[in-house]
Amino acid sequence: RPAELSSPMASRWTRRALGAFVMVAVIAAAWWFLAPTQLGGKTGYVVVRGSSMQPLLEQGDLAITRARQSYDVDDVVLFESDTLGGAHVLHRVVGVENGRFVTRGDNRTTDDPDRLTDQAVLGNLWLTIPTAGTWLSWLGQPLPLAAFLFALVFCVLAGGREASKRRARPNAQPVHPARDD
């Protein structure tokens, strides 16, 4: 094995390159699964308001949707309601009428007046995080958001300083006790 490949410097470089590759892979996977539609992704985030989808969805839940090529009866879909002035609605597809979806909330007895095409559906319910929407709404207020961002910046800066101090320390040599031979 050549000396330059077995040196500590080459080993450190290999670990850093592997770490960078893993980090890029994790970021790419996170983007693929979590990028919001507003930034070109396929994931929508909706805070549940109202009781029309109880017991599946409760007030304050965070509903995460994913865009798909097609939707079927029994899917819970997110759409923009023309009859509600463009409000986003998360209801179940209960049937198809003249090639368009009929939707209804699980906690309702009447169908929605909107009839949807595949293109009108923004996404299918993918994941629900109970009460997370309430926390996100609270965090969106100016004072909690400022406090959160201050704490985040402080942690990043303080953590970065400590890491650089650790890297700057010279490598200590092991101490061997003197032998009396």
Side-chain angles (χ1 to χ4, degrees):
R1 199 172 186 207
E4 64 270 359
L5 289 180
S6 63
S7 72
M9 187 65 101
S11 175
R12 188 177 326 154
W13 183 88
T14 303
R15 283 193 310 268
R16 285 185 180 178
L18 182 60
F21 175 77
V22 168
M23 182 64 75
V24 167
V26 166
I27 290 170
W31 180 262
W32 176 258
F33 286 109
L34 302 174
T37 55
Q38 297 89 335
L39 298 177
K42 293 186 177 196
T43 306
Y45 299 88
V46 180
V47 177
V48 175
R49 306 269 184 245
S51 60
S52 66
M53 285 300 292
Q54 286 179 340
L56 177 67
L57 300 171
E58 299 286 338
Q59 174 97 6
D61 288 352
L62 177 64
I64 303 173
T65 64
R66 293 278 295 165
R68 296 192 330 204
Q69 293 293 327
S70 64
Y71 302 92
D72 300 308
V73 172
D74 215 31
D75 286 345
V76 176
V77 296
L78 178 67
F79 62 95
E80 196 172 294
S81 172
D82 292 333
T83 59
L84 294 176
H88 286 173
V89 177
L90 193 60
H91 279 176
R92 188 175 305 278
V93 175
V94 294
V96 178
E97 208 175 78
N98 298 325
R100 293 177 174 259
F101 295 122
V102 178
T103 57
R104 179 186 327 134
D106 289 355
N107 196 24
R108 300 283 185 254
T109 55
T110 58
D111 297 339
D112 298 331
D114 297 298
R115 297 298 183 256
L116 312 169
T117 62
D118 272 338
Q119 295 77 25
V121 176
L122 302 174
N124 185 63
L125 182 63
W126 181 48
L127 181 66
T128 304
I129 305 174
T131 70
T134 301
W135 288 102
L136 287 175
S137 295
W138 176 79
L139 188 61
Q141 301 298 318
L143 185 58
L145 180 60
F148 173 75
L149 291 175
F150 174 80
L152 182 65
V153 167
F154 178 79
C155 289
V156 167
L157 293 177
R161 192 173 323 121
E162 286 302 314
S164 65
K165 282 182 185 177
R166 283 192 301 271
R167 281 193 299 267
R169 290 185 194 135
N171 292 336
Q173 298 297 321
V175 177
H176 300 288
R179 289 180 157 178
D180 291 335
D181 288 331

